[in-house]
């Protein structure tokens, strides 16, 4: 069961961070590409030829809040809103948002793909968000290290 969400569907953009179409919606580059043995729909990006399954974006499965709410809070954080402001606007506790961010940091490329596809965020804004969890201490240089193919993206 997928959670109810208005986030763009995983098939709307490429999830491969080294692809030119990474996180870009409605580029016409994604096509259906059969199913896994378990019956999960698979897609292929025609720009990079990478394949992924439709469940790739389900990072926050089984939480009390919907993934949509979680992604929205992370986007607010990236837009330089304070944790106190997010609490005020969304009614989510500061420590809860931080816990989401720590979990998100274990799935950097998927979270960034979700944020890029759903919000207009710059690289600088995304980097600023990660500094909350100290995920990217040094300036630059960490992207390529994080690009080891995430499971399910290949
Ligand atoms: Zn691609």
């Amino acid at each position: 069961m997928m959670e109810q969400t208005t986030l763009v569907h995983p098939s709307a953009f490429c999830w491969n961070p080294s692809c030119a179409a990474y996180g870009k919606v409605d580029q016409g580059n994604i096509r259906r590409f059969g199913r896994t043995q378990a019956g999960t729909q698979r897609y292929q990006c025609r720009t990079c030829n990478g394949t992924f399954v439709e469940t790739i974006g389900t990072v926050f499965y089984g939480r009390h809040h919907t993934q949509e709410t979680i992604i929205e809070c992370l986007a607010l954080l990236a837009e330089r809103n304070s944790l106190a402001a997010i609490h005020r606007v969304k009614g989510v506790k500061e420590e809860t948002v931080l816990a989401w961010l720590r979990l998100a940091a274990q799935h950097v490329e998927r979270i960034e793909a979700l944020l890029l596809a759903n919000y207009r965020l710059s690289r600088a804004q995304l980097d600023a968000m990660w500094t909350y969890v100290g995920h990217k201490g040094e300036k630059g240089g960490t992207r390529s290290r994080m690009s080891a193919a995430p499971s399910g993206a290949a």
Side-chain angles (χ1 to χ4, degrees):
M1 271 293 294
M2 301 286 286
E3 290 177 319
Q4 282 291 328
T5 179
T6 58
L7 293 172
V8 297
H9 194 268
S11 64
F13 57 92
C14 180
W15 293 76
N16 174 6
S18 55
C19 176
Y22 176 59
K24 292 181 182 169
V25 177
D26 296 332
Q27 305 285 296
N29 56 317
I30 308 297
R31 66 173 177 180
R32 285 171 184 270
F33 198 66
R35 290 181 178 270
T36 65
Q37 284 190 332
T40 306
Q41 181 67 51
R42 185 184 292 279
Y43 298 94
Q44 182 181 42
C45 169
R46 278 184 276 211
T47 303
C48 66
N49 288 326
T51 63
F52 57 91
V53 292
E54 63 184 349
T55 50
I56 187 172
T58 311
V59 177
F60 295 101
Y61 181 77
R63 301 251 149 188
H64 175 67
H65 292 81
T66 64
Q67 177 147 312
E68 180 187 22
T69 297
I70 296 170
I71 293 300
E72 190 179 352
C73 286
L74 295 181
L76 287 167
L77 208 53
E79 290 165 348
R80 310 271 160 99
N81 294 283
S82 67
L83 289 166
I86 294 171
H87 184 200
R88 215 160 43 237
V89 173
K90 302 299 293 179
V92 179
K93 287 187 207 152
E94 301 180 16
E95 57 263 37
T96 302
V97 176
L98 280 177
W100 292 341
L101 189 56
R102 278 192 290 272
L103 179 59
Q106 296 166 26
H107 307 276
V108 169
E109 285 149 354
R110 296 189 199 188
I111 297 302
E112 291 191 346
L114 280 165
L115 288 167
L116 289 169
N118 287 281
Y119 298 91
R120 292 179 182 278
L121 294 172
S122 67
R123 180 75 253 153
Q125 286 176 308
L126 292 173
D127 286 343
M129 179 187 72
W130 296 121
T131 62
Y132 270 91
V133 286
H135 184 73
K136 293 181 175 178
E138 66 262 47
K139 287 248 185 244
T142 53
R143 290 284 302 161
S144 53
R145 186 148 48 84
M146 292 303 301
S147 292
S151 60

